[in-house]
Amino acid sequence: MIVSNPAFISHQKTGMAASSMRSLSSDNSKYLQAFHLFLERSTEHQCMQDFIEKQFPDIISGIGHGKTSLNVLGIGSGAGEIDLQLLSHIQRKYPGVRVNYDVVEPSSEQISSYKERVAKKSDLDHVNFTWHNKTSAEFECEWNDRKEQKKYDFIHMIQMLYYVKDVSATVKFFQKCMAPNGKLLIIIVSGSSGWDTLWKKHSHHLAVCDMNLLVTSWDMKQILDAQGAKYEHLNLPSFMDISECFIQGNRNGELLMDFLTEVCDFCKTASPEMVAAILEDLKLPGCSQKRDGKILFNNNLAAIVVDP
């Protein structure tokens, strides 16, 4: 349920039109600055590393028994940093097995970076990459048009479901692409995270992009339960230091606010009332906690492992 905030009603009265704000994703340079700062100020990277090292090997323990080749599909793979880490574990688990790796990524720049990473690795003799420079929806359309019969032993969708229009239909399609012993890995923000609290309250004032920022692990569980799907839900604790957001005029704080709101130059284009309201809510227990003099935003993630 969307909760109204009086400060935002005041914002509308000031004449500051919502259209004066633009999506952070419309400025790739600014987005990358904000994203890299987010990684520096958060434990997301360490959270992902812990998951990959400690839990991922068990997830893939049954996908390749008796097989001489494995089909892997990465959806929204970005520049491939996480993909190649997952692939390394697959290779360790199934040494000598050929891996046919399909990469779906709409950004040609990211695919170029991914290919550069692959070129620098020396242990990929048994891996064949196929690059699909398209969105997941475009990939699905092409797949259906070809009446493709290929099945995948492992599919991953890491932090990408915010970019699809119909989450339920997207997940259902990729479930159909799984081999009998395959696994579908979804990593998404937790329903208990500060993101859920922030966006469910303020999304109607911040929705200047096409991202589906309201989708969380709780939504995924409801979707999968409705389908009668079998899955495992794993919590991945993470936080982000947002202390600088509360220092007026601090450049890093303003970039973090851009990332939190998905609005480019949020502190400059939003009304003072809107900025104050967001900052006030970011201090609340539903979003953050105070520890050692810092304000730590709840950045918890969830890994959902779906069976065929």
Side-chain angles (χ1 to χ4, degrees):
M1 181 179 71
I2 301 296
V3 181
S4 296
N5 188 310
F8 289 124
I9 297 173
S10 172
H11 157 72
Q12 298 298 330
K13 292 179 180 179
T14 64
M16 172 73 79
S19 60
S20 67
M21 297 192 297
R22 61 191 179 99
S23 169
L24 180 60
S25 61
S26 68
D27 186 330
N28 190 57
S29 176
K30 180 64 74 70
Y31 172 80
L32 288 175
Q33 289 179 52
F35 176 68
H36 288 307
L37 183 61
F38 157 73
L39 291 180
E40 290 176 15
R41 295 294 186 270
S42 76
T43 60
E44 176 147 326
H45 183 79
Q46 186 58 51
C47 162
M48 292 292 295
Q49 298 308 306
D50 289 346
F51 166 76
I52 291 170
E53 294 299 322
K54 298 174 183 177
Q55 296 174 291
F56 182 66
D58 288 337
I59 290 171
I60 58 171
S61 61
I63 67 171
H65 289 321
K67 296 187 176 182
T68 57
S69 66
L70 290 170
N71 293 329
V72 177
L73 175 61
I75 309 296
S77 292
E81 181 180 8
I82 297 297
D83 284 42
L84 294 179
Q85 292 179 44
L86 298 175
L87 177 58
S88 292
H89 280 281
I90 292 172
Q91 289 178 295
R92 278 181 232 162
K93 198 77 173 179
Y94 303 102
V97 171
R98 175 156 293 281
V99 179
N100 301 307
Y101 206 124
D102 283 289
V103 176
V104 178
E105 169 56 48
S107 167
S108 56
E109 291 85 358
Q110 293 282 60
I111 286 181
S112 294
S113 296
Y114 197 143
K115 289 180 177 180
E116 289 174 9
R117 275 197 168 90
V118 168
K120 293 175 182 177
K121 286 185 67 66
S122 58
D123 56 349
L124 299 176
D125 292 341
H126 292 88
V127 183
N128 177 50
F129 287 95
T130 302
W131 315 93
H132 304 270
N133 188 190
K134 48 179 57 78
T135 66
S136 64
E138 290 167 343
F139 178 81
E140 180 179 347
C141 287
E142 183 182 88
W143 182 280
N144 290 331
D145 288 343
R146 291 201 318 263
K147 296 181 171 56
E148 181 66 66
Q149 299 298 312
K150 185 176 182 180
K151 297 294 183 181
Y152 291 95
D153 302 290
F154 177 62
I155 302 172
H156 64 78
M157 309 167 74
I158 299 174
Q159 296 282 52
M160 61 74 59
L161 282 173
Y162 322 111
Y163 301 91
V164 304
K165 291 184 178 180
D166 190 331
V167 174
S168 179
T170 299
V171 171
K172 192 171 184 178
F173 166 74
F174 287 108
Q175 283 176 274
K176 292 191 299 183
C177 296
M178 281 193 286
N181 292 319
K183 296 288 184 181
L184 167 61
L185 171 65
I186 298 169
I187 295 183
I188 196 168
V189 296
S190 170
S192 64
S193 70
W195 296 102
D196 182 72
T197 301
L198 182 69
W199 277 90
K200 282 188 176 172
K201 184 170 183 179
H202 299 308
S203 64
H204 54 318
H205 296 286
L206 299 174
V208 294
C209 65
D210 292 330
M211 292 177 67
N212 186 5
L213 292 164
L214 288 175
V215 63
T216 70
S217 63
W218 287 353
D219 301 297
M220 280 310 312
K221 290 174 71 173
Q222 288 184 335
I223 288 169
L224 294 169
D225 286 342
Q227 295 177 357
K230 295 181 180 179
Y231 64 91
E232 181 182 10
H233 179 277
L234 304 169
N235 293 312
L236 310 181
S238 175
F239 63 83
M240 171 172 53
D241 184 353
I242 60 170
S243 304
E244 290 164 296
C245 293
F246 300 90
I247 303 173
Q248 189 171 4
N250 182 281
R251 173 172 165 73
N252 287 336
E254 291 182 352
L255 271 176
L256 289 174
M257 287 293 284
D258 288 358
F259 193 80
L260 285 162
T261 61
E262 279 295 327
V263 173
C264 190
D265 295 321
F266 172 74
C267 292
K268 294 182 175 68
T269 58
S271 71
E273 293 89 353
M274 180 182 284
V275 175
I278 294 286
L279 287 171
E280 191 62 33
D281 284 337
L282 283 172
K283 293 179 183 177
L284 298 177
C287 281
S288 306
Q289 61 175 291
K290 292 183 179 180
R291 188 194 307 166
D292 300 326
K294 299 179 179 179
I295 300 176
L296 304 179
F297 181 77
N298 180 337
N299 187 54
N300 289 349
L301 304 176
I304 300 174
V305 184
V306 187
D307 293 327

